[in-house]
């Protein structure tokens, strides 16, 4: 760690930040910071549980706060695997999946939503974050879907609305 070469290799090359994987990595880190700033309780050490599964090489944390709940699953295994997410009742929405192709991953295999306890597929060496959907958000989504359904029914044939 004291060699000049190690120091030179560890320096950031800001001139490359818009190129290929450098851009992807910078964008991914910006997304992580955005998540951290948008979730007030995510940095708190209160109301947090952590589960380590050494044989599977998985780490799971759950945080709850009056403003919301989050679960994070980290797969340190070099192989993909199924994991039983012991989520609380309700719907959990995926907010981050490092395996997504937009992050230069092999492609997401996770569902957009998880309901209650569900087995989820985790890509090798990946991380996923889920947010519990609040009752008010679920109601708003149902209302929007119903309104869209009504608009679709009211649409006249022939392309005119």
């Amino acid at each position: 760690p004291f060699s000049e070469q190690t120091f030179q290799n560890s320096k950031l090359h800001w001139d490359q930040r818009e190129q290929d994987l450098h851009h992807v990595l910078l964008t991914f880190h910006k997304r992580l910071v955005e998540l951290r700033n948008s979730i007030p309780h995510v940095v708190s050490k209160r109301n947090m549980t952590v589960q380590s599964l050494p044989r599977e090489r998985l780490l799971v944390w759950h945080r709850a706060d009056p403003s919301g709940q989050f679960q994070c699953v980290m797969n340190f295994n070099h192989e993909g695997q199924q994991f039983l997410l012991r989520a609380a009742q309700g719907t959990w929405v995926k907010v981050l999946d490092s395996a997504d192709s937009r992050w230069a991953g092999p492609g997401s295999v996770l569902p957009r939503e998880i309901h209650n306890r569900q087995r989820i597929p985790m890509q090798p060496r990946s991380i996923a974050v889920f947010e519990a959907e609040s009752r008010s958000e679920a109601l708003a989504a149902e209302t929007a879907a119903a309104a869209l359904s009504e608009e679709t029914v009211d649409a006249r044939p022939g392309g005119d609305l």
Side-chain angles (χ1 to χ4, degrees):
F2 296 105
S3 77
E4 179 66 23
Q5 186 62 35
T6 301
F7 173 72
Q8 292 303 325
N9 290 341
S10 68
K11 290 172 69 175
L12 294 175
H13 300 282
W14 286 104
D15 57 316
Q16 297 177 1
R17 69 180 175 262
E18 296 300 323
Q19 300 171 8
D20 307 320
L21 289 177
H22 300 282
H23 179 70
V24 171
L25 190 58
L26 178 61
T27 305
F28 182 72
H29 279 89
K30 284 180 178 180
R31 175 66 177 135
L32 291 174
V33 170
E34 178 185 289
L35 271 176
R36 182 180 186 273
N37 291 336
S38 69
I39 306 167
H41 62 280
V42 81
V43 295
S44 171
K45 294 178 184 167
R46 295 172 37 194
N47 301 321
M48 179 176 72
T49 58
V50 178
Q51 178 185 14
S52 174
L53 303 166
R55 191 171 56 227
E56 293 88 355
R57 300 189 70 198
L58 284 166
L59 185 65
V60 182
W61 63 250
H62 175 264
R63 289 205 173 140
D65 185 86
S67 62
Q69 294 185 65
F70 284 83
Q71 287 212 50
C72 178
V73 181
M74 295 169 251
N75 182 14
F76 294 98
N77 203 319
H78 291 278
E79 296 179 17
Q81 56 185 320
Q82 296 281 322
F83 173 70
L84 180 61
L85 187 64
R86 292 181 171 87
Q89 289 289 80
T91 300
W92 292 77
V93 179
K94 177 177 64 175
V95 294
L96 179 74
D97 182 359
S98 68
D100 196 309
S101 57
R102 78 185 275 200
W103 309 123
S108 179
V109 293
L110 289 169
R112 191 183 93 65
E113 292 181 349
I114 293 174
H115 305 281
N116 306 321
R117 292 173 53 130
Q118 185 176 333
R119 247 185 211 292
I120 60 169
M122 289 293 297
Q123 289 280 29
R125 301 178 70 181
S126 64
I127 180 173
V129 179
F130 295 92
E131 179 179 15
E133 185 177 60
S134 70
R135 291 190 189 278
S136 60
E137 289 171 339
L139 183 59
E142 288 174 18
T143 304
L148 182 61
S149 176
E150 287 174 13
E151 288 175 17
T152 305
V153 170
D154 290 343
R156 289 183 277 149
D160 293 342
L161 295 177

